[in-house]
Amino acid sequence: MSLCKTRPFFVLLVINIYSLVSSDGVNLGASDSVDKLGQTPSLSHVVVNSPVFKPALDSSFSISLLSSFPEDLEISDYCSELLHIFGQRYVTYVNCLIPAARPVHVCQNCFASYRSLLDIYANISSEQMGPGNVSCKDSLLRSDRLMLVYLLYSNLEGLWTKSDCKYCITEGLQSLTNDTLYFMMTLNQTLTCFEKYQQGNHTELCKNCKSSYKGLNELYSRMENNHTLCIDIEDAMNMTRRLWSKNFNCSFPREETVPVIAVSSFMLFLPIIFYLSSFLHSEQKKRKLIHPKRAKSYTTLMNIQDKLT
């Protein structure tokens, strides 16, 4: 009887002990997980999965690089200063180009910053020795396969060349040429006329602005023949012509179309002239045909024969 009475007590005791052990195990697992997450594995114990490099498991190898190379491999302070100035002027020129993209003003707005970039690149690429008998050409331009400084400069130089800015800027990149300044002045006069009459009837605009627009076209044609056009002038003229023809619906007969019309008209009537001349020539030949003489009559021949006998 006493054993039966104490059996439930032992069962409850075992259940309580099991629940305490389980809760400690869960807490222990959670704390271990937190500890594992908080720990940063040391690079010296990382196994590198590389077919080239297989460090030993007990190796204490560290993959951290040195903070600097030996002095004989580093660029000089002079070259480092030139590189810094190049970066500043490169950014200045690019910051000038972006706002000048539309409408195109890359030549007239950015030639000064491009001149500064040319000057610093000339110092970098020069064969002359700088302070401390140091040349930066090899260390900054040809020391690696990428040649980043040369590549960056070549891209901007190609942009300048493709824009034909040399035709609008004087030698030495000091100022705009006289032809460019005169074109801009004529363009401003034409655009001022457009602004004056664009609110009213466009017929009045076409009539009153015809002379200034004609002068602008003639000036552009002369500059085109003389090869003194840059991208700024080309874009400005294209936009002005679009305003004149598309926005204001004005027409302006160009003088060079007159010979084209004359030649086209001549070619159109040429077949008619050809067939007409052929017809007249054939009629004239018919009139000049030589008819054979009529044969003498039979009686005349008989008389001649009688006289002979």
Side-chain angles (χ1 to χ4, degrees):
M1 294 295 294
S2 61
L3 182 61
C4 293
K5 291 181 180 179
T6 57
R7 182 179 300 175
F9 173 78
F10 286 108
V11 172
L12 292 176
L13 180 61
V14 170
I15 292 174
N16 291 331
I17 294 174
Y18 179 77
S19 61
L20 290 175
V21 173
S22 299
S23 61
D24 291 339
V26 172
N27 293 334
L28 179 61
S31 62
D32 289 342
S33 300
V34 173
D35 293 338
K36 290 180 180 180
L37 290 175
Q39 291 177 354
T40 302
S42 175
L43 292 176
S44 61
H45 298 288
V46 175
V47 178
V48 181
N49 294 323
S50 172
V52 179
F53 178 70
K54 293 287 187 181
L57 294 178
D58 58 348
S59 173
S60 59
F61 174 78
S62 177
I63 63 174
S64 61
L65 296 176
L66 296 175
S67 60
S68 61
F69 289 102
E71 292 183 0
D72 56 342
L73 296 179
E74 292 283 354
I75 62 175
S76 64
D77 294 337
Y78 172 70
C79 296
S80 179
E81 181 65 20
L82 289 182
L83 184 62
H84 179 69
I85 297 174
F86 176 83
Q88 289 179 332
R89 296 185 180 182
Y90 186 93
V91 171
T92 301
Y93 182 52
V94 172
N95 288 337
C96 178
L97 290 176
I98 299 303
R102 292 301 312 161
V104 182
H105 292 150
V106 295
C107 298
Q108 54 186 316
N109 288 358
C110 304
F111 69 90
S113 56
Y114 182 70
R115 182 182 65 238
S116 300
L117 183 66
L118 285 181
D119 293 340
I120 189 62
Y121 185 80
N123 292 334
I124 292 176
S125 60
S126 176
E127 296 287 352
Q128 298 179 356
M129 296 297 178
N133 199 22
V134 174
S135 176
C136 302
K137 183 176 182 179
D138 293 334
S139 59
L140 296 182
L141 300 182
R142 298 182 299 192
S143 61
D144 55 77
R145 179 176 60 84
L146 182 59
M147 298 186 297
L148 182 60
V149 175
Y150 172 77
L151 184 63
L152 293 174
Y153 171 77
S154 298
N155 290 336
L156 294 186
E157 184 185 32
L159 179 63
W160 179 269
T161 303
K162 189 175 182 179
S163 302
D164 289 329
C165 292
K166 64 180 180 179
Y167 298 125
C168 292
I169 311 298
T170 59
E171 293 185 5
L173 306 179
Q174 297 298 324
S175 62
L176 297 175
T177 61
N178 292 331
D179 291 341
T180 303
L181 292 174
Y182 183 70
F183 177 85
M184 293 301 175
M185 182 184 67
T186 308
L187 175 64
N188 290 334
Q189 292 176 355
T190 305
L191 295 179
T192 301
C193 184
F194 288 174
E195 293 178 357
K196 182 178 180 180
Y197 294 100
Q198 68 179 352
Q199 300 299 333
N201 191 355
H202 287 173
T203 305
E204 293 295 326
L205 184 146
C206 299
K207 179 181 178 181
N208 296 325
C209 301
K210 181 178 179 180
S211 59
S212 60
Y213 180 75
K214 179 181 178 181
L216 183 65
N217 267 289
E218 293 175 350
L219 176 60
Y220 182 84
S221 299
R222 290 196 301 269
M223 296 179 68
E224 187 176 17
N225 295 331
N226 296 333
H227 303 287
T228 56
L229 295 178
C230 63
I231 188 61
D232 293 17
I233 296 179
E234 293 176 8
D235 184 71
M237 193 67 221
N238 290 336
M239 294 179 65
T240 306
R241 287 174 174 173
R242 193 180 303 122
L243 283 174
W244 177 263
S245 60
K246 185 177 180 180
N247 292 38
F248 303 139
N249 199 23
C250 298
S251 60
F252 181 74
R254 303 180 65 179
E255 294 181 358
E256 56 265 26
T257 60
V258 176
V260 176
I261 296 175
V263 173
S264 301
S265 301
F266 175 76
M267 297 299 294
L268 179 64
F269 288 101
L270 187 61
I272 300 175
I273 297 173
F274 173 76
Y275 286 112
L276 182 60
S277 61
S278 300
F279 176 76
L280 295 176
H281 188 65
S282 62
E283 289 293 329
Q284 189 176 6
K285 278 188 174 182
K286 288 181 181 179
R287 295 192 187 117
K288 291 183 179 181
L289 286 177
I290 300 175
H291 298 283
K293 295 181 179 180
R294 294 182 180 179
K296 295 182 178 181
S297 62
Y298 176 75
T299 56
T300 305
L301 292 175
M302 290 300 293
N303 292 333
I304 296 173
Q305 188 175 7
D306 290 342
K307 289 180 181 181
L308 292 175
T309 56

